Amino acid sequence: MENRKIVILTGAGMSAESGISTFRDSDGLWEHYPVQQVASIEGYEENPELVLNFYNARRKELLNVKPNHGHLMVAALEKYFNVTVITQNVDNLHERAGSSHVIHLHGELMKATSTRNPNDPSCIEELTPERCEIHLGDKAADGSQLRPYIVWFGESVPKFEEAVNEASTADIFIIIGTSMQVYPAAGLIRYIRPDTQVYLIDPKEVKVYSSQRVHTIRKGASEGMDELLKILLNC
Ligand code: OAD
């Protein structure tokens, strides 16, 4: 293994080939569920039951899908490089594919936390396939209503500083399957060093605001990762 450091920023497109809908593509999740209702702190305060049910359904969906070839290739990079994955995805497909260092910027679907103290580690608990639903009346360790461990619009992103530390020490920065429209995640690229190589895998054109040259691979995550692996391993 060489000691070059790779940091990979992933979004919903990473899991698309596993069968999980993206958010902003046509027929994406936000076309069917108003984002303000199901993914904002105001939406949760207004109608907690609707939001709990939305994430209960997302969790059931997650239990029925598997990591795709792209996830496996991201994990395979660890054979050759020092790799950190920073994901906006709340699924656990990177971990299930074998990635060992994953930072979840927007939370984790298979965890629950307290409505009163969502970022208090003593209130964060794992959900299991057998107990994967949260209902009104379920209590967190501090006695308040249990809620999904998801960072909603209108909330702070507690893992952002850790992600910045990773991005700023990357030799190679790879962006996969994100429309780069949601901040602060999309702003991570501003923290990379001027000599960091940047690659982007996405079947559609994505605008990236960076002074660095971005090597774009206009393909889906699986095919794109195969191509990138060849480039990175010079074969
Ligand atoms: P988007 O839905 O905004 O973008 C998905 C990206 O994936 C687009 O650029 C697609 O072209 C691309 N894509 C589609 N199929 C792909 C494939 N097979 N392989 C690779 N790429 C593909 O999703 P995100 O950018 O992840 O936050 O959205 C960011 C955040 O907005 C999410 O984490 C979520 C959402 O609101 C919260 O819910 C807090």
Side-chain angles (χ1 to χ4, degrees), residues 10-18 20-25 28-30 35 38-40 54-55 68 87-90 105-107 150-153 176-183 185 200-206 219-224:
T10 66
M14 182 81 233
S15 299
E17 289 160 29
S18 293
I20 299 183
S21 293
T22 59
F23 298 100
R24 293 175 185 78
D25 287 307
L29 263 187
W30 295 159
V35 51
V38 298
S40 77
F54 173 77
Y55 287 99
N68 63 58
T87 188
Q88 297 167 85
N89 298 343
V90 296
L105 275 183
H106 294 164
I150 303 285
V151 176
W152 286 317
F153 288 101
I176 309 174
T178 168
S179 60
M180 297 290 270
Q181 288 186 38
V182 173
Y183 284 80
L200 184 144
I201 299 174
D202 201 296
K204 293 208 192 121
E205 190 186 343
V206 176
K219 292 195 169 149
S222 296
E223 259 192 281

Side-chain angles (χ1 to χ4, degrees), residues 4 6-10 14 69-70 73-74 76-77 80-81 83 172-177 197-202 213-235:
R4 270 194 299 171
I6 296 191
V7 173
I8 309 178
L9 173 65
T10 66
M14 182 81 233
H69 180 72
M73 290 301 101
V74 166
L77 282 174
Y80 311 100
F81 303 95
V83 181
I172 301 169
F173 190 75
I174 304 170
I175 301 165
I176 309 174
Q197 290 172 43
V198 183
Y199 295 89
L200 184 144
I201 299 174
D202 201 296
R213 181 177 165 268
V214 178
H215 181 128
T216 301
I217 299 174
R218 190 77 82 83
K219 292 195 169 149
S222 296
E223 259 192 281
M225 273 307 296
D226 280 343
E227 188 169 324
L228 181 57
L229 224 67
K230 284 188 194 142
I231 297 172
L232 295 178
L233 301 178
N234 289 319
C235 52

